[in-house]
Amino acid sequence: MFTSSRLSYLFLRLGLAAVFLWFGIDKMINPDYWLNAWVTPTARSIVGLAGLSGTQFIYLNGVFEILAGVSLVTNVLQRLFSLLAMLFLIGVFIFIGFNEVTVRDIGLLGGFLAIIFWQNGNRR
């Protein structure tokens, strides 16, 4: 059977990148949807304390997700952005809770953990 740690690592990165790029770009195109559908009143209060509007918060999330996706595609700072993405997803759990949509994030967390702990020598 054909196996390749290098290809496995590539597919893992590209799959995670696709999700983060998709959602990051969508936040830039449809910030009102994301703000009204997903940002809880508690999160809006906390964001307000930082002096940001809800729309600015959504744009910042979108920029972060795009940067994380680009990092995974280019293999530049992917461990750093994987760690930050994990913290981001944990924040989603804290503010949105566990539901049929956020259950997907468990798989994403597992993927980011795999990238963080992937041995450099096994990428070949």
PDB file of all heavy atoms in Angstrom, residues 50-69:
ATOM      1  N   ALA A  50     -13.655  46.550  24.178  1.00  0.00           N
ATOM      2  CA  ALA A  50     -12.391  46.768  23.468  1.00  0.00           C
ATOM      3  C   ALA A  50     -12.489  47.939  22.495  1.00  0.00           C
ATOM      4  O   ALA A  50     -11.521  48.267  21.811  1.00  0.00           O
ATOM      5  CB  ALA A  50     -11.990  45.502  22.713  1.00  0.00           C
ATOM      6  N   GLY A  51     -13.677  48.559  22.422  1.00  0.00           N
ATOM      7  CA  GLY A  51     -13.848  49.713  21.542  1.00  0.00           C
ATOM      8  C   GLY A  51     -14.112  49.345  20.092  1.00  0.00           C
ATOM      9  O   GLY A  51     -13.942  50.183  19.203  1.00  0.00           O
ATOM     10  N   LEU A  52     -14.532  48.109  19.849  1.00  0.00           N
ATOM     11  CA  LEU A  52     -14.813  47.664  18.487  1.00  0.00           C
ATOM     12  C   LEU A  52     -16.315  47.534  18.267  1.00  0.00           C
ATOM     13  O   LEU A  52     -17.048  47.156  19.183  1.00  0.00           O
ATOM     14  CB  LEU A  52     -14.177  46.296  18.223  1.00  0.00           C
ATOM     15  CG  LEU A  52     -12.662  46.192  18.255  1.00  0.00           C
ATOM     16  CD1 LEU A  52     -12.236  44.740  18.135  1.00  0.00           C
ATOM     17  CD2 LEU A  52     -12.055  47.017  17.128  1.00  0.00           C
ATOM     18  N   SER A  53     -16.738  47.816  17.060  1.00  0.00           N
ATOM     19  CA  SER A  53     -18.127  47.528  16.710  1.00  0.00           C
ATOM     20  C   SER A  53     -18.227  46.043  16.365  1.00  0.00           C
ATOM     21  O   SER A  53     -17.212  45.367  16.129  1.00  0.00           O
ATOM     22  CB  SER A  53     -18.557  48.366  15.505  1.00  0.00           C
ATOM     23  OG  SER A  53     -17.924  47.899  14.319  1.00  0.00           O
ATOM     24  N   GLY A  54     -19.430  45.539  16.312  1.00  0.00           N
ATOM     25  CA  GLY A  54     -19.621  44.141  15.950  1.00  0.00           C
ATOM     26  C   GLY A  54     -19.084  43.830  14.560  1.00  0.00           C
ATOM     27  O   GLY A  54     -18.465  42.796  14.333  1.00  0.00           O
ATOM     28  N   THR A  55     -19.303  44.745  13.628  1.00  0.00           N
ATOM     29  CA  THR A  55     -18.819  44.535  12.258  1.00  0.00           C
ATOM     30  C   THR A  55     -17.301  44.520  12.212  1.00  0.00           C
ATOM     31  O   THR A  55     -16.711  43.689  11.511  1.00  0.00           O
ATOM     32  CB  THR A  55     -19.384  45.625  11.322  1.00  0.00           C
ATOM     33  OG1 THR A  55     -20.818  45.600  11.400  1.00  0.00           O
ATOM     34  CG2 THR A  55     -18.951  45.404   9.890  1.00  0.00           C
ATOM     35  N   GLN A  56     -16.670  45.396  12.956  1.00  0.00           N
ATOM     36  CA  GLN A  56     -15.208  45.387  13.011  1.00  0.00           C
ATOM     37  C   GLN A  56     -14.701  44.062  13.566  1.00  0.00           C
ATOM     38  O   GLN A  56     -13.707  43.522  13.086  1.00  0.00           O
ATOM     39  CB  GLN A  56     -14.697  46.546  13.871  1.00  0.00           C
ATOM     40  CG  GLN A  56     -14.880  47.900  13.239  1.00  0.00           C
ATOM     41  CD  GLN A  56     -14.576  49.027  14.210  1.00  0.00           C
ATOM     42  OE1 GLN A  56     -14.866  48.947  15.409  1.00  0.00           O
ATOM     43  NE2 GLN A  56     -13.998  50.108  13.683  1.00  0.00           N
ATOM     44  N   PHE A  57     -15.390  43.545  14.571  1.00  0.00           N
ATOM     45  CA  PHE A  57     -15.031  42.259  15.154  1.00  0.00           C
ATOM     46  C   PHE A  57     -15.121  41.144  14.115  1.00  0.00           C
ATOM     47  O   PHE A  57     -14.231  40.299  14.015  1.00  0.00           O
ATOM     48  CB  PHE A  57     -15.950  41.974  16.350  1.00  0.00           C
ATOM     49  CG  PHE A  57     -15.745  40.627  16.975  1.00  0.00           C
ATOM     50  CD1 PHE A  57     -14.577  40.322  17.653  1.00  0.00           C
ATOM     51  CD2 PHE A  57     -16.733  39.656  16.887  1.00  0.00           C
ATOM     52  CE1 PHE A  57     -14.392  39.072  18.232  1.00  0.00           C
ATOM     53  CE2 PHE A  57     -16.568  38.412  17.465  1.00  0.00           C
ATOM     54  CZ  PHE A  57     -15.384  38.118  18.134  1.00  0.00           C
ATOM     55  N   ILE A  58     -16.179  41.143  13.329  1.00  0.00           N
ATOM     56  CA  ILE A  58     -16.336  40.130  12.283  1.00  0.00           C
ATOM     57  C   ILE A  58     -15.223  40.266  11.252  1.00  0.00           C
ATOM     58  O   ILE A  58     -14.630  39.268  10.821  1.00  0.00           O
ATOM     59  CB  ILE A  58     -17.721  40.228  11.617  1.00  0.00           C
ATOM     60  CG1 ILE A  58     -18.813  39.881  12.618  1.00  0.00           C
ATOM     61  CG2 ILE A  58     -17.812  39.346  10.379  1.00  0.00           C
ATOM     62  CD1 ILE A  58     -18.754  38.472  13.174  1.00  0.00           C
ATOM     63  N   TYR A  59     -14.919  41.477  10.835  1.00  0.00           N
ATOM     64  CA  TYR A  59     -13.826  41.685   9.873  1.00  0.00           C
ATOM     65  C   TYR A  59     -12.494  41.190  10.439  1.00  0.00           C
ATOM     66  O   TYR A  59     -11.707  40.561   9.725  1.00  0.00           O
ATOM     67  CB  TYR A  59     -13.713  43.148   9.458  1.00  0.00           C
ATOM     68  CG  TYR A  59     -14.750  43.591   8.454  1.00  0.00           C
ATOM     69  CD1 TYR A  59     -15.371  44.823   8.582  1.00  0.00           C
ATOM     70  CD2 TYR A  59     -15.108  42.785   7.371  1.00  0.00           C
ATOM     71  CE1 TYR A  59     -16.320  45.246   7.663  1.00  0.00           C
ATOM     72  CE2 TYR A  59     -16.059  43.203   6.457  1.00  0.00           C
ATOM     73  CZ  TYR A  59     -16.663  44.428   6.604  1.00  0.00           C
ATOM     74  OH  TYR A  59     -17.597  44.838   5.688  1.00  0.00           O
ATOM     75  N   LEU A  60     -12.231  41.469  11.715  1.00  0.00           N
ATOM     76  CA  LEU A  60     -10.990  40.981  12.332  1.00  0.00           C
ATOM     77  C   LEU A  60     -10.949  39.452  12.348  1.00  0.00           C
ATOM     78  O   LEU A  60      -9.898  38.859  12.085  1.00  0.00           O
ATOM     79  CB  LEU A  60     -10.843  41.525  13.748  1.00  0.00           C
ATOM     80  CG  LEU A  60     -10.402  42.970  13.862  1.00  0.00           C
ATOM     81  CD1 LEU A  60     -10.436  43.432  15.322  1.00  0.00           C
ATOM     82  CD2 LEU A  60      -9.017  43.163  13.282  1.00  0.00           C
ATOM     83  N   ASN A  61     -12.085  38.832  12.643  1.00  0.00           N
ATOM     84  CA  ASN A  61     -12.152  37.372  12.583  1.00  0.00           C
ATOM     85  C   ASN A  61     -11.863  36.883  11.171  1.00  0.00           C
ATOM     86  O   ASN A  61     -11.124  35.915  10.979  1.00  0.00           O
ATOM     87  CB  ASN A  61     -13.540  36.872  13.017  1.00  0.00           C
ATOM     88  CG  ASN A  61     -13.663  36.738  14.501  1.00  0.00           C
ATOM     89  OD1 ASN A  61     -13.261  35.741  15.065  1.00  0.00           O
ATOM     90  ND2 ASN A  61     -14.223  37.743  15.140  1.00  0.00           N
ATOM     91  N   GLY A  62     -12.452  37.552  10.184  1.00  0.00           N
ATOM     92  CA  GLY A  62     -12.228  37.170   8.795  1.00  0.00           C
ATOM     93  C   GLY A  62     -10.766  37.297   8.395  1.00  0.00           C
ATOM     94  O   GLY A  62     -10.205  36.402   7.750  1.00  0.00           O
ATOM     95  N   VAL A  63     -10.149  38.392   8.781  1.00  0.00           N
ATOM     96  CA  VAL A  63      -8.723  38.589   8.472  1.00  0.00           C
ATOM     97  C   VAL A  63      -7.891  37.494   9.125  1.00  0.00           C
ATOM     98  O   VAL A  63      -7.010  36.906   8.485  1.00  0.00           O
ATOM     99  CB  VAL A  63      -8.254  39.995   8.920  1.00  0.00           C
ATOM    100  CG1 VAL A  63      -6.737  40.100   8.884  1.00  0.00           C
ATOM    101  CG2 VAL A  63      -8.891  41.066   8.049  1.00  0.00           C
ATOM    102  N   PHE A  64      -8.181  37.193  10.385  1.00  0.00           N
ATOM    103  CA  PHE A  64      -7.434  36.136  11.063  1.00  0.00           C
ATOM    104  C   PHE A  64      -7.604  34.799  10.347  1.00  0.00           C
ATOM    105  O   PHE A  64      -6.636  34.074  10.122  1.00  0.00           O
ATOM    106  CB  PHE A  64      -7.871  35.998  12.527  1.00  0.00           C
ATOM    107  CG  PHE A  64      -7.354  34.722  13.134  1.00  0.00           C
ATOM    108  CD1 PHE A  64      -6.013  34.591  13.449  1.00  0.00           C
ATOM    109  CD2 PHE A  64      -8.195  33.637  13.331  1.00  0.00           C
ATOM    110  CE1 PHE A  64      -5.517  33.402  13.960  1.00  0.00           C
ATOM    111  CE2 PHE A  64      -7.720  32.452  13.846  1.00  0.00           C
ATOM    112  CZ  PHE A  64      -6.375  32.330  14.162  1.00  0.00           C
ATOM    113  N   GLU A  65      -8.846  34.461   9.991  1.00  0.00           N
ATOM    114  CA  GLU A  65      -9.086  33.171   9.340  1.00  0.00           C
ATOM    115  C   GLU A  65      -8.391  33.094   7.988  1.00  0.00           C
ATOM    116  O   GLU A  65      -7.851  32.055   7.617  1.00  0.00           O
ATOM    117  CB  GLU A  65     -10.591  32.924   9.208  1.00  0.00           C
ATOM    118  CG  GLU A  65     -11.236  32.649  10.550  1.00  0.00           C
ATOM    119  CD  GLU A  65     -12.737  32.501  10.477  1.00  0.00           C
ATOM    120  OE1 GLU A  65     -13.352  32.887   9.453  1.00  0.00           O
ATOM    121  OE2 GLU A  65     -13.320  31.993  11.448  1.00  0.00           O
ATOM    122  N   ILE A  66      -8.376  34.197   7.244  1.00  0.00           N
ATOM    123  CA  ILE A  66      -7.672  34.224   5.962  1.00  0.00           C
ATOM    124  C   ILE A  66      -6.176  34.059   6.177  1.00  0.00           C
ATOM    125  O   ILE A  66      -5.514  33.285   5.471  1.00  0.00           O
ATOM    126  CB  ILE A  66      -7.999  35.514   5.181  1.00  0.00           C
ATOM    127  CG1 ILE A  66      -9.468  35.475   4.719  1.00  0.00           C
ATOM    128  CG2 ILE A  66      -7.056  35.698   3.997  1.00  0.00           C
ATOM    129  CD1 ILE A  66      -9.991  36.801   4.200  1.00  0.00           C
ATOM    130  N   LEU A  67      -5.614  34.756   7.158  1.00  0.00           N
ATOM    131  CA  LEU A  67      -4.187  34.610   7.450  1.00  0.00           C
ATOM    132  C   LEU A  67      -3.847  33.179   7.871  1.00  0.00           C
ATOM    133  O   LEU A  67      -2.823  32.631   7.455  1.00  0.00           O
ATOM    134  CB  LEU A  67      -3.756  35.591   8.546  1.00  0.00           C
ATOM    135  CG  LEU A  67      -3.677  37.057   8.144  1.00  0.00           C
ATOM    136  CD1 LEU A  67      -3.404  37.928   9.362  1.00  0.00           C
ATOM    137  CD2 LEU A  67      -2.628  37.264   7.064  1.00  0.00           C
ATOM    138  N   ALA A  68      -4.709  32.579   8.686  1.00  0.00           N
ATOM    139  CA  ALA A  68      -4.478  31.192   9.097  1.00  0.00           C
ATOM    140  C   ALA A  68      -4.515  30.272   7.878  1.00  0.00           C
ATOM    141  O   ALA A  68      -3.670  29.388   7.730  1.00  0.00           O
ATOM    142  CB  ALA A  68      -5.518  30.760  10.128  1.00  0.00           C
ATOM    143  N   GLY A  69      -5.483  30.481   6.996  1.00  0.00           N
ATOM    144  CA  GLY A  69      -5.578  29.672   5.785  1.00  0.00           C
ATOM    145  C   GLY A  69      -4.365  29.828   4.885  1.00  0.00           C
ATOM    146  O   GLY A  69      -3.808  28.847   4.389  1.00  0.00           O
TER     147      GLY A  69
END
